[in-house]
Amino acid sequence: MEHTHEYEILVNRSKGFLKIAEYALNNGLHDLACFSAEQAVQLHIKAQLLKLIGDYPRTHHIRLLIARLLEVLPARKKSTLQEYVKTNRARLSELEDAYIMARYTTKTYTQEDAEEIVDFAKEVINKVEEIVG
């Protein structure tokens, strides 16, 4: 695999952002927890695409990254991810929105919001890892 080093960098960054999300969550920094959770998922999906096809779209849209992942997965794995996306469409949209909302708007996230988003980010990362392998 020629992109092993880049893959490892993205995976490590994803794990780092997840740690930052947990730290922020535990320290009342709800907006940063949500933003960092989104970053963790975004980087994890990009890492998986890099592993599979050697490249990834230069976008911050999680749903577009997942759509690209769906294009390159074998049929059996694709159907599993499609079902997960269908079931979690609204939550994926909310997670994706955290990228913009926590950075550029006056929207504030509550402890409960942040807990849900961080927990969901972990779930998405685990699901993608389980499917891609």
Side-chain angles (χ1 to χ4, degrees):
M1 178 184 298
E2 63 186 68
H3 298 285
T4 302
H5 182 67
E6 294 172 78
Y7 167 80
E8 290 172 0
I9 289 171
L10 292 181
V11 167
N12 286 334
R13 284 184 185 160
S14 174
K15 290 177 183 178
F17 270 109
L18 197 52
K19 286 180 185 177
I20 290 168
E22 291 170 339
Y23 174 86
L25 179 62
N26 293 328
N27 287 279
L29 304 167
H30 308 130
D31 300 342
L32 289 175
C34 295
F35 171 77
S36 298
E38 186 280 340
Q39 290 288 280
V41 172
Q42 187 184 137
L43 290 169
H44 184 76
I45 297 170
K46 288 177 178 180
Q48 299 310 311
L49 284 165
L50 191 60
K51 179 171 73 172
L52 290 170
I53 59 171
D55 199 14
Y56 55 87
R58 300 319 192 252
T59 182
H60 65 267
H61 297 284
I62 289 172
R63 291 174 297 168
L64 288 176
L65 292 167
I66 291 173
R68 181 67 179 123
L69 191 55
L70 284 166
E71 291 173 5
V72 301
L73 285 174
R76 178 180 50 81
K77 292 181 177 187
K78 180 179 180 174
S79 64
T80 302
L81 184 55
Q82 283 174 321
E83 186 59 36
Y84 183 78
V85 168
K86 183 179 177 183
T87 303
N88 292 285
R89 187 171 311 284
R91 293 170 70 195
L92 286 164
S93 179
E94 182 181 0
L95 177 63
E96 188 176 281
D97 288 347
Y99 178 84
I100 299 294
M101 302 305 280
R103 290 177 67 190
Y104 300 118
T105 72
T106 57
K107 176 180 174 136
T108 57
Y109 289 90
T110 66
Q111 177 75 22
E112 185 177 280
D113 295 334
E115 287 171 357
E116 287 179 15
I117 288 173
V118 171
D119 287 345
F120 183 60
K122 292 177 190 176
E123 178 184 310
V124 172
I125 289 169
N126 289 333
K127 187 56 127 179
V128 169
E129 186 67 31
E130 171 190 315
I131 292 169
V132 174

